[in-house]
Amino acid sequence: MDKFNSTLAGFEPTALSIYRIFTGLLLFQYGLAKIYKIPVLPAFLNISPLVTVAGVLELVGGALLILGLFTRPVAFILSGQMAFAYFIGHMFEGGLAAPALIPLLNGGNAAILFCFACFHLACAGGGPWALDATRGKR
């Protein structure tokens, strides 16, 4: 088991970069759907100003995560946005009197996963395939 662990540990920096890129791509697609209606989704046809702000954060933040530019602060902001999205958009969608506490029932699984994925990136950084890594070598 030690050999298996040490073999996988050698791929950790590369895996972190791939994790950051795909997290950014997934957030970026939500921003595209909310702001530019690509693809057209019924849930995002007529969005509120609060959802528009979320879409801009996802679009810009997702692009910055893909590039690995300002990874830690961007990921921290997106982590907070996703926590906010979970509580406002999912858990308390029915109002304060009727919270839906189970993510499987309130549709908040993705928001929770994005919250903790971004929090991990805020703590771990962007990995070696990030523009942050090249900026730090100057």
Side-chain angles (χ1 to χ4, degrees):
M1 195 63 161
D2 288 339
K3 183 170 174 59
F4 180 72
N5 286 337
S6 63
T7 300
L8 287 180
F11 294 105
E12 188 175 343
T14 303
L16 178 61
S17 290
I18 294 168
Y19 176 67
R20 183 203 78 245
I21 291 165
F22 276 90
T23 301
L25 282 168
L26 291 171
L27 285 165
F28 187 77
Q29 77 173 348
Y30 277 97
L32 277 177
K34 289 174 184 170
I35 303 303
Y36 294 110
K37 312 300 185 227
I38 303 170
V40 176
L41 298 172
F44 300 144
L45 286 179
N46 296 312
I47 58 175
S48 68
L50 190 61
V51 176
T52 302
V53 170
V56 170
L57 284 172
E58 291 159 0
L59 189 69
V60 174
L64 289 171
L65 284 183
I66 293 166
L67 297 172
L69 189 60
F70 308 114
T71 301
R72 290 179 192 266
V74 167
F76 186 77
I77 290 166
L78 288 171
S79 177
Q81 183 229 341
M82 288 293 116
F84 185 78
Y86 175 75
F87 287 109
I88 299 301
H90 297 283
M91 187 173 171
F92 292 108
E93 190 175 70
L96 291 175
L101 301 176
I102 301 171
L104 189 60
L105 298 178
N106 67 25
N109 287 335
I112 291 171
L113 279 171
F114 278 128
C115 176
F116 285 100
C118 288
F119 186 69
H120 177 255
L121 289 171
C123 295
W129 299 351
L131 289 178
D132 289 337
T134 60
R135 289 181 339 119
K137 292 179 182 175
R138 289 182 193 168

